[in-house]
Amino acid sequence: MLCLRLQFIGLLLFSTVMLSAQTSRHWTVTETARDNGHRLTQIATPVGAGSSAGGLTISPDQRFQEIEGFGGALTESSAWVLAQIPTEKRAEVLHRYYDPKDGLGYTLARTHINSCDFSLNMWALDETPGDYDLLNFSLAPMRRWLLPLLHDANDASGGKLQILASPWSPPSWMKTNNRMDDGGSLRSEYAPAWARYYVKFVQAMAAEKLPIWALTVQNEPQAKQVWESCLYSPEQERDFVRDHLGPELEKAGLTNVKLLAHDHNRDILEKDTAAVFGDPKSSKYLWGAALHWYVSSDFAASSRVHAQFPDKAILFTEGCWEGGGAIGSWEHGEGYARNMIGDFRNWVCGYIDWNIVLDQRGGPNHVGNFCDAPVIVDTATKEVRCGPSFYYIGQFSRFVKPRAHRVASSGGPAELQSVAFLNPDGSLVTVVLNEGNAPIYFTLSTGTESLACSVPAHAIQTYHRDAN
């Protein structure tokens, strides 16, 4: 499906269809469904009061975590792919992701310090062995592809993009295996220099007028990968934050930059956070934990961490479908929604997808670790296509605004998955997901009003009630 004609032109995407006079003027319903062609399409609002049977009840007065926002990763690979298409198409992709009015409304982004697997090759911002004082640190490796994308995405967001930066590996000369890939660990004698490296990066990006909102300590610190990686035990990560990274950020006056530990999967979230948050001297430097979705679907793990450390945020920072581009895979879209609902219902405060754009193979990736992305570009034909994932993510990000709060939702048919939010302007958002093969009928109740609703098979809907 051609992303830049379709709904982008406005026939379906974010339709401004007027509501029927017989429906409430305060509600709109937006739908993405496998079998009827709807892609973020506004549909008729339910009419009349529903019954108590199958009732989904929303309680706006019961508020939980504040939502930071939604976004995707701006990698060198995404930057390269977007540079292969005409300027106007590239601009349209960014507009449809970041524009706050008629795009997905992305306000968050993740990028990499040094290279990652979704880079064209392996590189570091200081390649000089033994440069303890970082005299040769430079953003030069980012200037051809990555920095232009970061600038343009920030512009498309209205200058409001909050950038999170993560390292996959220190430079090879700082590591025990003398290489950026294949695991290895940070050499203890270079821990002070590596901590200053983060400071240098934040300061250099500020000079580029791209302020860094947050940092993670290390991408997937317990995974030895064939691409860029660096191993930390939970205790080693705790000690690096406590003794080096936290103090260096503080000394540089960068305590406004949020610092997140873990940046790995749910299955080890509790063990990692027990170490880094359990030590008051490391915990004081940490805003929260970053979360990936691979390996485990134990969404309740983040609730258990919240119960133990209620002052710490939990931010989702990476998830994708591995194996290469898969345009048209409805299961991928449903998987995003299932994970988002499960995480938001368990105290996760924001969602950052992995690459915003990849090529037809699901790359480029310098070690062949190809993945799917919501937008795929055929670099030969210059065709831009959106998969179901793009629209499923948009059913959340288009309507749930930064500083919204998740609110209580309960009941409804067992097959119906749901989550609800209250926006800062007082508008109410409820997202419902049906992964089954038959429609689901239910009543949506807010305590003061109820609607008789139905969601088609393999579909997602967003119910939005205005503040007035």
Side-chain angles (χ1 to χ4, degrees):
M1 181 176 297
L2 179 59
C3 194
L4 297 178
R5 290 181 183 170
L6 66 71
Q7 297 83 356
F8 275 3
I9 293 178
L11 181 60
L12 294 177
L13 182 60
F14 311 140
S15 170
T16 57
V17 175
M18 295 298 291
L19 297 180
S20 165
Q22 63 181 335
T23 66
S24 169
R25 63 185 180 89
H26 298 300
W27 287 89
T28 58
V29 185
T30 302
E31 179 178 277
T32 294
R34 186 188 67 181
D35 301 328
N36 61 16
H38 289 170
R39 303 293 184 268
L40 279 168
T41 303
Q42 191 166 307
I43 62 174
T45 303
V47 180
S51 68
S52 59
L56 173 61
T57 301
I58 310 302
S59 303
D61 292 337
Q62 297 182 41
R63 302 182 187 183
F64 303 96
Q65 75 271 29
E66 186 175 89
I67 305 302
E68 292 292 334
F70 299 82
L74 302 176
T75 62
E76 186 178 39
S77 293
S78 289
W80 181 87
V81 169
L82 285 171
Q84 309 310 304
I85 58 177
T87 301
E88 63 275 11
K89 281 192 174 184
R90 178 181 181 277
E92 186 69 9
V93 171
L94 295 179
H95 181 80
R96 294 303 174 182
Y97 262 124
Y98 295 98
D99 188 84
K101 293 184 178 179
D102 58 2
L104 295 194
Y106 273 13
T107 59
L108 304 180
R110 185 180 185 223
T111 197
H112 43 96
I113 303 172
N114 300 331
S115 61
C116 68
D117 52 325
F118 280 92
S119 297
L120 304 185
N121 48 55
M122 218 174 293
W123 48 264
L125 301 176
D126 189 337
E127 302 268 11
T128 306
D131 186 13
Y132 190 84
D133 294 324
L134 305 178
L135 299 178
N136 294 299
F137 180 94
S138 171
L139 296 183
M142 299 173 62
R143 293 205 177 277
R144 185 173 185 186
W145 307 114
L146 196 47
L147 282 177
L149 176 58
L150 287 162
H151 278 292
D152 290 346
N154 186 49
D155 290 345
S157 75
K160 297 179 180 179
L161 195 63
Q162 296 184 155
I163 301 172
L164 176 146
S166 304
W168 268 241
S169 173
S172 58
W173 52 271
M174 289 188 181
K175 293 180 65 184
T176 56
N177 64 349
N178 294 307
R179 38 191 309 147
M180 290 181 68
D181 57 353
D182 200 34
S185 299
L186 178 66
R187 293 169 61 179
S188 59
E189 64 267 34
Y190 285 117
W194 181 228
R196 291 195 298 271
Y197 205 101
Y198 296 72
V199 171
K200 283 267 194 181
F201 180 81
V202 172
Q203 292 171 335
M205 292 293 280
E208 291 284 330
K209 295 182 170 51
L210 290 169
I212 297 300
W213 167 70
L215 296 164
T216 67
V217 180
Q218 168 65 41
N219 176 71
E220 299 186 348
Q222 295 178 53
K224 180 182 178 181
Q225 308 283 22
V226 297
W227 54 85
E228 295 88 330
S229 49
C230 186
L231 297 172
Y232 292 78
S233 70
E235 293 73 24
Q236 287 171 327
E237 186 172 16
R238 173 200 66 198
D239 294 351
F240 178 63
V241 169
R242 181 191 66 202
D243 300 336
H244 301 288
L245 183 53
E248 285 294 337
L249 291 168
E250 186 174 57
K251 185 169 69 175
L254 296 175
T255 55
N256 62 308
V257 177
K258 300 181 186 303
L259 184 61
L260 295 94
H262 186 61
D263 211 7
H264 211 159
N265 299 327
R266 298 185 187 103
D267 62 322
I268 54 175
L269 176 65
E270 291 169 272
K271 180 181 178 182
D272 281 12
T273 53
V276 296
F277 296 157
D279 182 336
K281 292 181 180 179
S282 62
S283 182
K284 72 176 185 177
Y285 296 116
L286 291 164
W287 177 65
L291 183 65
H292 298 185
W293 78 17
Y294 314 107
V295 179
S296 171
S297 295
D298 181 13
F299 300 115
S302 51
S303 277
R304 295 191 294 271
V305 169
H306 174 79
Q308 190 172 4
F309 304 104
D311 61 324
K312 299 301 184 184
I314 303 172
L315 178 71
F316 185 87
T317 54
E318 185 185 320
C320 73
W321 300 106
E322 298 167 290
I327 284 294
S329 172
W330 208 259
E331 293 81 3
H332 286 186
E334 291 182 335
Y336 271 102
R338 182 190 326 119
N339 276 270
M340 293 168 85
I341 290 171
D343 276 337
F344 282 129
R345 291 187 71 92
N346 287 279
W347 294 96
V348 168
C349 69
Y351 231 81
I352 305 178
D353 183 29
W354 194 205
N355 302 276
I356 62 165
V357 179
L358 291 174
D359 69 14
Q360 62 272 24
R361 298 176 304 163
N365 184 292
H366 68 83
V367 292
N369 180 36
F370 300 123
C371 297
D372 197 13
V375 176
I376 295 291
V377 169
D378 188 317
T379 56
T381 66
K382 313 304 181 187
E383 183 180 12
V384 178
R385 295 184 298 170
C386 294
S389 300
F390 180 87
Y391 304 103
Y392 270 76
I393 294 170
Q395 293 278 163
F396 296 83
S397 66
R398 182 71 176 86
F399 304 97
V400 181
K401 304 301 181 182
R403 310 277 80 82
H405 283 84
R406 178 174 67 89
V407 298
S409 56
S410 60
E415 306 84 12
L416 188 71
Q417 301 173 59
S418 66
V419 66
F421 306 88
L422 185 68
N423 278 322
D425 66 358
S427 59
L428 185 64
V429 175
T430 303
V431 182
V432 297
L433 172 67
N434 179 9
E435 295 187 76
N437 294 319
I440 296 176
Y441 300 90
F442 65 101
T443 295
L444 178 62
S445 173
T446 64
T448 59
E449 54 190 324
S450 61
L451 300 173
C453 305
S454 65
V455 55
H458 296 286
I460 185 171
Q461 293 175 336
T462 303
Y463 290 78
H464 181 272
R465 189 188 69 181
D466 291 343
N468 296 325

